[in-house]
């Protein structure tokens, strides 16, 4: 009893305690006294000049998953999930549009390629402006979306797509000549002997053969796109000038139409148009 | 006082259809879009405008341009008034 009162007297001297507190402490006993000392020490530390030491226990730490409320960012989470779902749906829709029959587009293509394909081949079919939009323009031939769509599998190919390709392949230094489809259409026509010169001039003008500048000596191969108008099929006539032979490259050879193809090629190549143009 | 159109305002163009070689003559205002000429030709020959392509010297003509704008190109290409436009039918195949 004495020791406690002695210790108490020391504390009271330093903290300027009042008498009623002391009476209370003695009345409640030792446990209550210790609690009081701890609370007094905490109050003292909050008013002290020194900064509180930041420890692991007192630091503001990020809440763990078990302490975090599930209602915190529910809207943001919903928006994120919706955006992802929308993206997946859009991707699947494009892929579905690009698939033909049993054949499906591979998922390995990049997003840029996918967007490019969807821009070129998928548009609103009821919008006439979208179909008339020019996608390729070489300055000589231009292709709108409607004709560009003929490159899709399963649809017949328009001749201006082939003409654009021949324009791209044209090179002044190349030994290979790629002629447009007009050469076939003009060469296949029946021309009276008296009109041959006019027909030749017309073919020369239409196919813009001036650009080759009559360099037949430097030419090795001439590629002429041909068309079978009976079955509606494109094939290629390759005239090898160097080896003096001609080949027909056909992706869909048909026994019944082989003779017709050969005849058409003979007419186009042996016609006056071919000979006199150079 | 003459009410006839002056030659300076108009341009004479000749359109030749590649299938039969028949030529059709047009006299159009320089400020009119070529699309109108193309549509008039297709209507006259009962053709589908979507399946036709019009070229001059092998160069495709744009529908939105006028003969006035084209004449500028004609000067560059060395073409004169009264020259020929080719009407080509588009072909498709597998």
């Amino acid at each position: 009893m004495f020791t406690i009162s002695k210790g108490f007297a020391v504390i009271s001297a330093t903290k300027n305690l009042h008498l009623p507190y002391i009476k209370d402490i003695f009345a409640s006993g030792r446990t209550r006294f210790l609690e009081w000392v701890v609370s007094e020490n905490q109050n003292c530390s909050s008013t002290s000049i020194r900064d509180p030491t930041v420890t692991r226990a007192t630091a503001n730490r990020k809440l763990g998953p078990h302490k975090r409320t599930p209602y915190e960012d529910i809207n943001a989470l919903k928006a994120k999930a919706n955006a992802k779902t929308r993206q997946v749906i859009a991707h699947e829709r494009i892929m579905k549009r690009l698939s033909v029959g049993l054949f499906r587009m591979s998922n390995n293509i990049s997003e840029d390629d996918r967007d490019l394909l969807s821009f070129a081949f998928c548009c609103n079919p009821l919008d006439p402006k979208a179909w008339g939009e020019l996608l390729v323009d070489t300055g000589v031939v231009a292709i709108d979306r409607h004709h560009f769509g003929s490159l899709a599998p399963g649809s017949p190919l328009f001749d201006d797509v082939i003409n654009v390709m021949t324009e791209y392949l044209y090179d002044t230094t190349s030994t290979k000549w790629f002629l447009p489809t007009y050469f076939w259409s003009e060469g296949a026509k029946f021309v009276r002997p008296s009109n041959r010169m006019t027909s030749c001039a017309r073919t020369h003008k239409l196919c813009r053969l001036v650009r080759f500048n009559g360099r037949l000596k430097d030419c090795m191969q001439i590629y002429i796109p041909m068309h079978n108008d009976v079955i509606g099929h494109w094939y290629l006539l390759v005239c090898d000038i160097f080896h003096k032979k001609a080949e027909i490259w056909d992706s869909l050879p048909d026994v019944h139409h082989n003779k017709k193809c050969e005849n058409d090629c003979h007419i186009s190549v042996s016609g006056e148009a071919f000979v006199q143009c150079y | 006082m003459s009410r006839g159109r002056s030659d300076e305002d108009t341009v004479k163009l000749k359109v030749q259809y590649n299938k039969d070689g028949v030529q059709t003559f047009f006299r159009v205002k320089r400020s009119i879009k070529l699309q109108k000429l193309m549509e008039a030709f297709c209507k006259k020959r009962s053709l589908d405008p979507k399946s036709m392509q019009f070229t001059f010297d092998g160069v495709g003509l744009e529908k939105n341009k006028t003969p006035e704008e084209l004449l500028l190109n004609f000067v560059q290409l060395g073409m004169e008034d009264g020259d020929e436009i080719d009407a080509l039918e588009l072909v498709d195949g597998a």
Side-chain angles (χ1 to χ4, degrees):
Chain A
M1 185 71 189
F2 174 75
T3 51
I4 291 170
S5 66
K6 193 180 179 183
F8 178 68
V10 174
I11 292 164
S12 66
T14 53
K15 302 284 178 187
N16 300 321
L17 294 172
H18 301 288
L19 199 60
Y21 282 108
I22 297 163
K23 279 181 183 175
D24 289 344
I25 289 160
F26 275 106
S28 60
R30 182 188 172 93
T31 51
R32 196 171 168 188
F33 167 69
L34 287 173
E35 283 173 12
W36 176 81
V37 169
V38 170
S39 66
E40 277 296 311
N41 278 335
Q42 281 177 353
N43 290 336
C44 287
S45 66
S46 65
T47 54
S48 69
I49 301 161
R50 287 190 304 165
D51 291 332
T53 45
V54 179
T55 61
R56 190 179 168 84
T58 57
N60 288 327
R61 297 174 67 194
K62 197 180 171 184
L63 292 170
H66 58 285
K67 284 183 180 174
R68 216 178 292 154
T69 166
Y71 308 106
E72 196 173 23
D73 290 318
I74 191 73
N75 290 328
L77 287 170
K78 266 186 185 175
K80 201 177 173 183
N82 284 341
K84 199 172 181 183
T85 317
R86 235 176 279 135
Q87 205 178 345
V88 169
I89 290 169
H91 176 80
E92 281 177 0
R93 193 181 293 160
I94 292 167
M95 287 302 182
K96 201 176 175 184
R97 277 188 185 181
L98 292 174
S99 62
V100 179
L102 294 170
F103 300 99
R104 305 226 169 246
M105 181 64 76
S106 166
N107 276 326
N108 294 333
I109 58 168
S110 65
E111 282 192 9
D112 291 342
D113 290 343
R114 189 201 66 193
D115 292 343
L116 188 68
L117 285 171
S118 70
F119 170 74
F121 294 107
C122 308
C123 73
N124 185 6
L126 300 173
D127 189 7
K129 280 184 185 174
W131 287 108
E133 189 182 1
L134 286 182
L135 294 187
V136 185
D137 192 358
T138 60
V140 178
V141 195
I143 317 180
D144 58 4
R145 199 190 294 271
H146 174 59
H147 288 178
F148 197 82
S150 67
L151 278 171
S155 54
L157 187 69
F158 281 107
D159 56 351
D160 46 357
V161 179
I162 299 172
N163 291 338
V164 163
M165 201 58 218
T166 57
E167 282 296 321
Y168 274 121
L169 290 170
Y170 170 70
D171 186 9
T172 47
T173 55
S174 174
T175 55
K176 292 172 182 175
W177 294 4
F178 299 93
L179 300 186
T181 54
Y182 310 135
F183 193 88
W184 155 80
S185 60
E186 289 299 309
K189 275 196 296 189
F190 173 74
V191 184
R192 287 177 185 166
S194 58
N195 291 340
R196 270 185 185 166
M197 284 304 287
T198 323
S199 171
C200 286
R202 189 177 154 78
T203 312
H204 194 271
K205 189 182 76 175
L206 267 178
C207 300
R208 300 194 307 121
L209 297 174
V210 188
R211 60 191 163 150
F212 295 113
N213 210 12
R215 292 177 287 107
L216 198 60
K217 283 180 186 174
D218 303 331
C219 176
M220 301 286 278
Q221 284 171 327
I222 302 174
Y223 295 83
I224 308 166
M226 303 285 293
H227 186 257
N228 188 343
D229 43 3
V230 178
I231 54 172
H233 174 58
W234 291 106
Y235 57 96
L236 194 68
L237 171 65
V238 184
C239 300
D240 198 332
I241 306 288
F242 189 73
H243 297 104
K244 294 182 180 176
K245 64 176 183 181
E247 292 175 359
I248 296 173
W249 292 3
D250 196 342
S251 60
L252 201 70
D254 190 355
V255 183
H256 304 292
H257 295 97
N258 270 354
K259 202 70 185 171
K260 182 188 163 22
C261 291
E262 281 179 30
N263 279 338
D264 285 350
C265 294
H266 272 290
I267 291 165
S268 294
V269 177
S270 63
E272 295 291 317
F274 191 76
V275 177
Q276 291 193 11
C277 280
Y278 308 108
Chain B
M1 188 178 153
S2 65
R3 286 185 180 180
R5 292 172 192 163
S6 62
D7 288 342
E8 289 177 3
D9 296 341
T10 57
V11 59
K12 289 171 193 168
L13 295 171
K14 193 164 62 176
V15 184
Q16 184 169 356
Y17 186 35
N18 73 327
K19 282 256 171 172
D20 51 10
V22 175
Q23 293 178 337
T24 314
F25 293 86
F26 287 93
R27 190 180 173 193
V28 293
K29 278 186 182 176
R30 289 174 192 271
S31 56
I32 276 178
K33 284 185 179 177
L34 274 173
Q35 191 176 4
K36 211 163 185 178
L37 181 141
M38 294 169 185
E39 283 173 0
F41 174 79
C42 292
K43 198 175 177 184
K44 195 170 185 179
R45 300 297 308 268
S46 305
L47 299 165
D48 181 18
K50 287 178 185 172
S51 66
M52 296 299 296
Q53 192 184 11
F54 292 84
T55 61
F56 165 65
D57 276 354
V59 180
L61 294 177
E62 288 178 36
K63 290 177 182 177
N64 296 328
K65 288 203 171 177
T66 63
E68 205 168 32
E69 290 168 336
L70 272 175
L71 274 173
L72 296 171
N73 290 339
F74 289 173
V75 173
Q76 288 168 5
L77 295 165
M79 189 179 177
E80 293 172 358
D81 186 22
D83 269 318
E84 188 179 300
I85 290 174
D86 296 296
L88 306 166
E89 195 164 32
L90 289 170
V91 187
D92 60 346

